[in-house]
Amino acid sequence: PPRTSEIKGSTCPFVLTKSSHKIMTIITGTPGWSMLTTAVICGQLVAANAAAEASPSLRESENNKSVPVVTERKLNTYSSLRVDAMYTYGAPSIANPHVSNPGNKCIPGLRMYTEDKQSDYCAWWDWWCTPSEQITNTDFAAHWNAADLPHPKMSTLTLIWRDDSQVEYLFNECKDEDGLVEDDFQWWPHSSNSAYVVDNIHSIEWHYERRLQQVPKITRGPSLEYASIASCGYSTSAQGVRDCLNNYSSGGNGLPGIDASLWEVGAFMNHQFGGDDNDPVVVYENTQEQDVDGNNFKKCILSFSGSESLTGDLGNFLLWNSGTTGYCGRHGVHIGVRNELWQITHDEQWASVIKPQLETCHEVVCVGHSLGGALCNVFTMCANQGEENLDEADDVGMWDDFDALAWTKASDPLTQG
């Protein structure tokens, strides 16, 4: 279907015209520019390289005023929602109807997926030619369930590698007033797109972080730094997570991450099922954040890890439990992801280690890559919508889903700044 998006309240098609193709070719072919990011938004071409994104003049330029800004709020009142925002990388869709915040509101944060494109340009003299393009590859995990289950109601960032030479991005902003019907981009990537498991573009480091580096900060928000959380969340020990974060902070892998001097591993568990299924869950905490009144508050990031092996949770998710079931007061939830989260939240470590730590947090952000992102989706649904979905419900099992997962959120600031 045609790609459309709402930017600052006005709807416009993201269609590359013949002229915009030529403009992009001229700009990206300019000597002296290395990796260049380009985006066509409402007929405007926005271009920025990695070095230019830090320039105040770029952020204030007329072309960039139409670029949506992804930021995290500074608290002035503490939200009653248990999960304040969600950042997912290559997450499969997990439910129909879609996941949202109570009242069908947008979930703050960002859903990201990758795709590769090839362009068919026209010769300058061939005026009868119509430029075309084709999607040659899509993140297979984000593509999974694409025909049956929409993605959550939240802003979406498509990270595009075009013609094996440049990064582009496509940002679609979620609007609370969009109603119950899903936006087109909640069904992206489309089920007809090519998506390869073997020759995949799913790696958090090689495909997500390196593309995100070319997206302006005002558009990507904290998603580049949070990618280190998703990557380090695969470690099967608390010390392994710390070592991973320190490596990011020291520039050991050449990629930016969260500042390890500000963030600590507050809680860690590893749910093990069978011989080769490890499900690490980490709570990161930062007590240096300040709200608008100058009070310190504790910001936490909860991460779920992605799949490890075909015989473990990947096989359980992709192959053997692909239908839908009920969970936490609603139906239409992917069985494999529901089972995975149920096992984690009914592990004794969740009740004794993770929940007590979450109860000390004023703000909670859920982060996950691949299956970890899918777990974030179901987790956020239950944590934020559970009471709404369970209203007047008499299903004891679904009440148990919520009671095992939920916690009482901290409400008072830590100290006066």
Side-chain angles (χ1 to χ4, degrees):
R3 294 190 165 191
T4 60
S5 177
E6 292 192 358
I7 304 289
K8 297 290 185 182
S10 62
T11 303
C12 66
F14 281 88
V15 179
L16 295 179
T17 63
K18 187 170 185 177
S19 59
S20 64
H21 262 290
K22 290 184 176 180
I23 292 172
M24 184 159 52
T25 303
I26 293 170
I27 291 178
T28 57
T30 303
W33 290 73
S34 53
M35 185 72 72
L36 193 73
T37 304
T38 60
V40 177
I41 298 178
C42 297
Q44 298 182 8
L45 183 67
V46 179
N49 64 3
E53 71 175 26
S55 167
S57 61
L58 174 68
R59 289 198 296 269
E60 296 168 1
S61 70
E62 287 301 316
N63 278 351
N64 281 276
K65 285 184 178 179
S66 63
V67 179
V69 179
V70 180
T71 59
E72 291 197 29
R73 61 190 175 85
K74 286 202 170 185
L75 300 174
N76 51 9
T77 57
Y78 295 98
S79 170
S80 61
L81 296 178
R82 293 177 178 85
V83 179
D84 295 271
M86 185 168 67
Y87 291 82
T88 64
Y89 308 78
S93 51
I94 51 87
N96 194 356
H98 63 232
V99 170
S100 68
N101 267 345
N104 196 44
K105 302 296 185 182
C106 297
I107 301 172
L110 201 58
R111 174 177 76 91
M112 292 153 278
Y113 72 92
T114 54
E115 69 181 24
D116 292 349
K117 283 186 176 181
Q118 288 292 326
S119 305
D120 181 15
Y121 297 109
C122 296
W124 66 268
W125 45 264
D126 190 356
W127 295 105
W128 299 105
C129 172
T130 300
S132 63
E133 63 181 15
Q134 59 177 331
I135 297 173
T136 57
N137 202 357
T138 307
D139 186 333
F140 76 92
H143 183 269
W144 204 262
N145 303 323
D148 304 309
L149 307 177
H151 287 278
K153 185 170 182 175
M154 63 187 304
S155 296
T156 300
L157 180 65
T158 308
L159 299 165
I160 303 164
W161 180 240
R162 180 180 290 277
D163 300 332
D164 296 321
S165 63
Q166 65 188 33
V167 170
E168 296 176 5
Y169 64 92
L170 196 60
F171 182 95
N172 287 274
E173 186 179 20
C174 183
K175 299 285 188 179
D176 283 336
E177 62 267 24
D178 285 344
L180 294 173
V181 178
E182 290 85 12
D183 286 303
D184 285 346
F185 64 83
Q186 288 181 251
W187 292 99
W188 297 353
H190 196 265
S191 59
S192 62
N193 291 357
S194 299
Y196 299 101
V197 176
V198 176
D199 186 19
N200 67 72
I201 50 175
H202 187 56
S203 166
I204 187 71
E205 294 183 1
W206 285 104
H207 299 108
Y208 281 89
E209 292 185 81
R210 283 169 169 78
R211 297 185 192 199
L212 277 168
Q213 282 182 297
Q214 307 304 319
V215 178
K217 174 73 172 177
I218 58 174
T219 302
R220 71 174 189 243
S223 60
L224 177 58
E225 291 73 26
Y226 286 177
S228 64
I229 294 289
S231 180
C232 294
Y234 281 87
S235 301
T236 55
S237 70
Q239 188 58 52
V241 174
R242 294 187 186 97
D243 292 343
C244 179
L245 289 181
N246 288 332
N247 187 47
Y248 267 94
S249 290
S250 65
N253 58 359
L255 294 165
I258 62 169
D259 188 344
S261 67
L262 298 177
W263 289 88
E264 298 179 358
V265 177
F268 175 89
M269 67 170 278
N270 183 20
H271 171 76
Q272 293 181 301
F273 182 78
D276 58 355
D277 183 3
N278 289 283
D279 299 314
V281 180
V282 189
V283 179
Y284 307 81
E285 60 180 21
N286 180 352
T287 59
Q288 304 304 309
E289 296 280 341
Q290 288 191 337
D291 64 19
V292 293
D293 298 319
N295 297 312
N296 287 95
F297 67 92
K298 182 186 284 189
K299 180 174 181 176
C300 297
I301 300 176
L302 174 70
S303 74
F304 292 97
S305 71
S307 306
E308 283 191 302
S309 67
L310 184 61
T311 56
D313 47 16
L314 180 60
N316 186 51
F317 171 73
L318 291 177
L319 303 178
W320 303 303
N321 289 298
S322 58
T324 60
T325 187
Y327 182 71
C328 205
R330 60 157 289 175
H331 295 274
V333 180
H334 189 279
I335 294 175
V337 182
R338 176 266 177 203
N339 289 350
E340 191 87 0
L341 186 60
W342 189 95
Q343 291 175 13
I344 291 171
T345 56
H346 283 76
D347 188 311
E348 186 276 333
Q349 298 174 87
W350 178 267
S352 63
V353 178
I354 301 298
K355 283 180 70 169
Q357 192 65 33
L358 291 175
E359 290 177 347
T360 69
C361 304
H362 299 97
E363 182 173 320
V364 175
V365 176
C366 196
V367 171
H369 169 244
S370 192
L371 176 57
L375 289 168
C376 264
N377 293 340
V378 181
F379 176 83
T380 299
M381 176 205 77
C382 185
N384 288 358
Q385 274 192 301
E387 287 142 320
E388 179 182 71
N389 292 335
L390 286 163
D391 186 32
E392 299 181 0
D394 58 1
D395 189 310
V396 176
M398 288 199 186
W399 272 106
D400 175 69
D401 297 336
F402 177 75
D403 290 337
L405 179 148
W407 68 97
T408 302
K409 193 174 184 180
S411 59
D412 297 325
L414 294 174
T415 60
Q416 184 69 33

